[in-house]
PDB file of all heavy atoms in Angstrom:
ATOM      1  N   LEU A1206    -113.348-168.762 149.893  1.00  0.00           N
ATOM      2  CA  LEU A1206    -114.335-169.811 149.530  1.00  0.00           C
ATOM      3  C   LEU A1206    -115.008-170.377 150.623  1.00  0.00           C
ATOM      4  O   LEU A1206    -116.231-170.677 150.653  1.00  0.00           O
ATOM      5  CB  LEU A1206    -113.573-170.933 148.701  1.00  0.00           C
ATOM      6  CG  LEU A1206    -112.949-170.503 147.410  1.00  0.00           C
ATOM      7  CD1 LEU A1206    -112.065-171.586 146.811  1.00  0.00           C
ATOM      8  CD2 LEU A1206    -114.014-169.987 146.424  1.00  0.00           C
ATOM      9  N   GLU A1215    -121.438-169.757 146.598  1.00  0.00           N
ATOM     10  CA  GLU A1215    -120.188-170.411 145.941  1.00  0.00           C
ATOM     11  C   GLU A1215    -119.945-169.564 144.713  1.00  0.00           C
ATOM     12  O   GLU A1215    -120.940-169.031 144.018  1.00  0.00           O
ATOM     13  CB  GLU A1215    -120.341-171.954 145.782  1.00  0.00           C
ATOM     14  CG  GLU A1215    -121.528-172.267 144.768  1.00  0.00           C
ATOM     15  CD  GLU A1215    -121.681-173.696 144.491  1.00  0.00           C
ATOM     16  OE1 GLU A1215    -121.093-174.502 145.308  1.00  0.00           O
ATOM     17  OE2 GLU A1215    -122.193-174.085 143.468  1.00  0.00           O
ATOM     18  N   LEU A1216    -118.742-169.628 144.250  1.00  0.00           N
ATOM     19  CA  LEU A1216    -118.384-168.919 142.971  1.00  0.00           C
ATOM     20  C   LEU A1216    -118.644-169.793 141.796  1.00  0.00           C
ATOM     21  O   LEU A1216    -118.406-170.965 141.780  1.00  0.00           O
ATOM     22  CB  LEU A1216    -116.955-168.621 142.940  1.00  0.00           C
ATOM     23  CG  LEU A1216    -116.459-167.551 144.084  1.00  0.00           C
ATOM     24  CD1 LEU A1216    -114.922-167.339 143.942  1.00  0.00           C
ATOM     25  CD2 LEU A1216    -117.079-166.255 144.083  1.00  0.00           C
ATOM     26  N   PRO A1217    -119.132-169.234 140.663  1.00  0.00           N
ATOM     27  CA  PRO A1217    -119.368-170.005 139.452  1.00  0.00           C
ATOM     28  C   PRO A1217    -118.036-170.360 138.868  1.00  0.00           C
ATOM     29  O   PRO A1217    -117.064-169.666 139.042  1.00  0.00           O
ATOM     30  CB  PRO A1217    -120.256-169.039 138.559  1.00  0.00           C
ATOM     31  CG  PRO A1217    -119.772-167.668 139.171  1.00  0.00           C
ATOM     32  CD  PRO A1217    -119.541-167.744 140.477  1.00  0.00           C
ATOM     33  N   GLU A1218    -118.141-171.380 138.113  1.00  0.00           N
ATOM     34  CA  GLU A1218    -116.881-171.754 137.270  1.00  0.00           C
ATOM     35  C   GLU A1218    -116.993-171.308 135.845  1.00  0.00           C
ATOM     36  O   GLU A1218    -117.992-171.275 135.283  1.00  0.00           O
ATOM     37  CB  GLU A1218    -116.680-173.321 137.350  1.00  0.00           C
ATOM     38  CG  GLU A1218    -116.565-173.934 138.696  1.00  0.00           C
ATOM     39  CD  GLU A1218    -115.150-173.658 139.192  1.00  0.00           C
ATOM     40  OE1 GLU A1218    -114.377-173.179 138.477  1.00  0.00           O
ATOM     41  OE2 GLU A1218    -114.962-173.772 140.403  1.00  0.00           O
ATOM     42  N   PRO A1219    -115.989-170.876 135.376  1.00  0.00           N
ATOM     43  CA  PRO A1219    -114.593-170.605 136.010  1.00  0.00           C
ATOM     44  C   PRO A1219    -114.547-169.206 136.671  1.00  0.00           C
ATOM     45  O   PRO A1219    -115.057-168.320 136.118  1.00  0.00           O
ATOM     46  CB  PRO A1219    -113.622-170.780 134.862  1.00  0.00           C
ATOM     47  CG  PRO A1219    -114.374-170.098 133.676  1.00  0.00           C
ATOM     48  CD  PRO A1219    -115.890-170.690 133.941  1.00  0.00           C
ATOM     49  N   SER A1220    -113.855-169.190 137.697  1.00  0.00           N
ATOM     50  CA  SER A1220    -113.684-167.793 138.399  1.00  0.00           C
ATOM     51  C   SER A1220    -112.384-167.655 138.868  1.00  0.00           C
ATOM     52  O   SER A1220    -111.774-168.685 139.274  1.00  0.00           O
ATOM     53  CB  SER A1220    -114.595-167.690 139.646  1.00  0.00           C
ATOM     54  OG  SER A1220    -115.972-167.727 139.216  1.00  0.00           O
ATOM     55  N   ARG A1221    -111.809-166.394 138.688  1.00  0.00           N
ATOM     56  CA  ARG A1221    -110.321-166.243 139.232  1.00  0.00           C
ATOM     57  C   ARG A1221    -110.442-165.357 140.408  1.00  0.00           C
ATOM     58  O   ARG A1221    -111.142-164.289 140.472  1.00  0.00           O
ATOM     59  CB  ARG A1221    -109.556-165.618 138.128  1.00  0.00           C
ATOM     60  CG  ARG A1221    -109.394-166.452 136.820  1.00  0.00           C
ATOM     61  CD  ARG A1221    -108.705-165.580 135.720  1.00  0.00           C
ATOM     62  NE  ARG A1221    -107.414-165.201 136.082  1.00  0.00           N
ATOM     63  CZ  ARG A1221    -106.687-164.211 135.443  1.00  0.00           C
ATOM     64  NH1 ARG A1221    -107.248-163.777 134.296  1.00  0.00           N
ATOM     65  NH2 ARG A1221    -105.481-163.909 135.883  1.00  0.00           N
ATOM     66  N   ILE A1222    -109.744-165.722 141.486  1.00  0.00           N
ATOM     67  CA  ILE A1222    -109.750-164.900 142.687  1.00  0.00           C
ATOM     68  C   ILE A1222    -108.464-164.092 142.788  1.00  0.00           C
ATOM     69  O   ILE A1222    -107.324-164.716 142.654  1.00  0.00           O
ATOM     70  CB  ILE A1222    -109.872-165.769 143.965  1.00  0.00           C
ATOM     71  CG1 ILE A1222    -111.119-166.608 143.855  1.00  0.00           C
ATOM     72  CG2 ILE A1222    -109.881-164.865 145.109  1.00  0.00           C
ATOM     73  CD1 ILE A1222    -111.256-167.539 145.021  1.00  0.00           C
TER      74      ILE A1222
END
Side-chain angles (χ1 to χ4, degrees):
L1206 295 175
E1215 61 181 22
L1216 297 181
E1218 293 292 344
S1220 293
R1221 297 173 60 191
I1222 301 176

